[in-house]
Amino acid sequence: MFYHLITTNKCNLNCKYCCEKAFDEPEEFPEEMACLNNNIEYTLKDLTEFLKNDKNPTITFYGGEPLLNPKYIMQVMDNFPNVRFMMQTNGLLLKVLPSKYLNKFHTLLISIDGNEKTTDYYRGNGVYKKVMENIKHLKNNSFCGELIARMTIEDQNIYDSVLHLLKNVDFCFTSVHWQIDANFWFNDWKNRDFKKWVNENYLPNVKKLVDFWITEMKRGTVIKLYPFLGITNTLLFGEDLGKLKCGAGHENFAIQTDGNISPCPIMMGMKKYYLGNIKTSKTPKTLIILAERCKKCKILDICGGRCMYSNILNPWPKDQTKLVCKTVKTTVSLLKSKIPTIKKLIEQGIIYKKNFLYEKYNGAEIIP
């Protein structure tokens, strides 16, 4: 199993698509939402007893900003020497962990939204340079795990942003994933022309990005663009048919600061959907919730239902939600049209089936 271990609910940023929006509409959330403490309310012994029931656990440190609680991260890593570790971080505080801990990470997902101008607009002035400086610190100290650029897309150009991260002069990521900022905040759809952006910006540039991805394959390289990689993996091999590609509620869970287990980090505090508590449960319960529209959808086997959180709360009106689904259906259609080409490249030995394998449930978005 994969567990997002919440080290704190505090964050040292106020990103436009995250905390800033959260404070705009707190009254919209369900009354049964729990207010969570920033401090850990269980013991390492509780965590040890819980994890001993899992033969192959992976812990992903998460927040808030997980590195605001570095002492706890180091305690956990010391206490579980044989566990695989990952972390999702904004990258500003990487230097607070000694290299011996940083180099234990199998995967680090670093939040960055494209070039300097775009990243600083959404995340704050100076964030881009600081993140790049800290990534260089990682590399200079022998980090050899996977570094994934973790993007949030609101109204920027996905093609330009991804190519910048793959080819910029400061540091080139080899892995990129993105999440569309859509269908998470109730009032957000009123504040921007999402339809225009989807039709005139996002989808045309996804097509350009798919074409670029295939061109690179013809040269012998399958770039780890996770949305493309995960969908193509399902189209080629039939893996994870009908399952949420993030693993939420069936392979991937979040352990809150109070020890309660939720299906995913964004569902923290949603008491109705808790799947146990590490103090009293041997393993999490499973939970998969589909929206009615998903049950009838022709690409359910490939998409898996996109997002359990949005399926439960339905924060956007029907027409706006259809646009979100359109982004998924179009991406799947574009990739499906390339499957004959991909199979031919595999047959010719230019690329290999193994190039499409990846660490599932590592936090990278497959259905943006």
Side-chain angles (χ1 to χ4, degrees), residues 284-295:
K285 299 175 185 176
T286 58
L287 178 70
I288 296 176
I289 295 176
L290 294 174
E292 287 301 314
R293 64 182 178 275
C294 296
K295 295 176 183 178

Side-chain angles (χ1 to χ4, degrees), residues 182-303:
N183 216 212
F184 294 103
W185 307 104
F186 289 84
N187 296 317
D188 189 35
W189 65 274
K190 300 175 184 177
N191 301 323
R192 53 193 167 115
D193 193 340
F194 186 69
K195 182 177 181 179
K196 181 178 181 181
W197 177 74
V198 165
N199 291 325
E200 298 181 16
N201 186 329
Y202 181 70
L203 289 180
N205 282 297
V206 167
K207 183 181 184 304
K208 282 180 65 177
L209 201 54
V210 169
D211 290 340
F212 162 78
W213 196 52
I214 297 298
T215 297
E216 293 301 304
M217 279 188 214
K218 292 176 179 178
R219 295 172 178 162
T221 302
V222 179
I223 300 174
K224 283 192 171 183
L225 301 182
Y226 271 97
F228 297 170
L229 196 64
I231 292 170
T232 302
N233 181 279
T234 299
L235 292 171
L236 284 173
F237 311 123
E239 293 191 12
D240 289 334
L241 286 172
K243 294 181 180 180
L244 284 168
K245 294 294 187 285
C246 61
H250 64 92
E251 292 287 343
N252 206 349
F253 304 90
I255 299 174
Q256 302 175 171
T257 54
D258 59 6
N260 282 312
I261 304 167
S262 59
C264 78
I266 200 171
M267 290 176 68
M268 288 188 296
M270 295 174 70
K271 295 185 286 185
K272 184 178 178 180
Y273 304 100
Y274 284 175
L275 303 176
N277 187 294
I278 65 167
K279 298 176 185 179
T280 56
S281 306
K282 289 186 176 181
T283 58
K285 299 175 185 176
T286 58
L287 178 70
I288 296 176
I289 295 176
L290 294 174
E292 287 301 314
R293 64 182 178 275
C294 296
K295 295 176 183 178
K296 305 170 186 175
C297 183
K298 293 180 180 178
I299 65 162
L300 175 60
D301 275 354
I302 300 168
C303 169

Side-chain angles (χ1 to χ4, degrees), residues 99 133-143:
S99 294
E133 174 191 321
N134 287 343
I135 288 173
K136 289 175 184 176
H137 168 77
L138 283 176
K139 288 298 185 181
N140 289 339
N141 285 273
S142 304
F143 177 79

